[in-house]
Amino acid sequence: MLDRRRVLQTLAGLFLSSFGLGGYAYAWEPAHQGVTRYRLKPARWPDGRRLRVAVISDLHVGGPHMPVARVREIVDQTNALKPDLALLLGDFVASRARYPDDPAPAEWAAELARLVASAGRFAVLGNHDWWQDERAQRELQGPTQSTLALEAAGIPVLENRAIRLDTKAGPLWIAGLGDQEAFVLRRRPRGFRYGVDDLPATLAMVDDGAPLILMAHEPDIFAEVPGRVDLTLSGHTHGGQVRLFGWSPIVPSRYGNRYAYGHVRENGRDLVVSAGLGTSKLPIRLGAPPEIVLIELG
């Protein structure tokens, strides 16, 4: 026979545990980023050449856990890693319509301009950078407010563009893909694509055999990326924001958990998906803590 007091104690314990877990997922985990490190040598990477690449993704400034002061903290933490290259993977703004008291794009862009990397700092846009921009959505074209703010701060936005760099590891191509979901929420003329991505045109700019890194906000494009690309870097998924035992119940990808998080190697090709730093839609993280990614190549 069940003891009434024991049943009540058990129920109370379950309630308090759930409350504590919810508090952790809302108040603690989303607000404390760490550094996730990868050591990679893509198949075509030259022997003896090393390069440190810092990746910042999905800040969602203006969201419940991302004031401009935290962007400043993230930049300081990234600079302490002494990267050779700093790559920003999009979704700089909150995942909702802009509020009047949201930080101006120039504010968070000024903080990102403090990033120090000897080989340069480069960005691509994410879907929310497009979705929050009413003019870009109305006219179905950029530049977005995020683009203008970043470039005014001295950070090039690579939209279907590849550039060749001279780095301490030798020549290197950095390619940036236009966002694949720029106009998902907007009614479009018949035949008008909902993304601004153009992978073939982007890769056509690469005219020699130097290593090539592709920045693409959404990881789904990786299924189409050719072997010429040595490393693809993506964000967007937030690792699902809730990740239990290496599995996320909800992933904003048509491939589900295949490209949800971390280092993925398929057919000799390498992809790294960052869990990002801010939150999207639900203001929680559980088992998918915010992260700055540092990739040591070579």
Side-chain angles (χ1 to χ4, degrees), residues 126-143:
N127 54 304
H128 289 288
D129 299 309
W130 283 94
W131 294 359
Q132 199 191 78
D133 192 310
E134 294 182 3
R135 186 213 57 80
Q137 290 296 305
R138 184 174 61 252
E139 298 180 7
L140 296 176
Q141 64 179 357

Side-chain angles (χ1 to χ4, degrees), residues 61-74:
V61 181
H65 301 99
M66 194 60 66
V68 171
R70 186 168 174 214
V71 179
R72 185 178 309 123
E73 174 189 324
I74 289 166

Side-chain angles (χ1 to χ4, degrees), residues 78 263 292:
T78 303
H263 178 212
I292 301 164

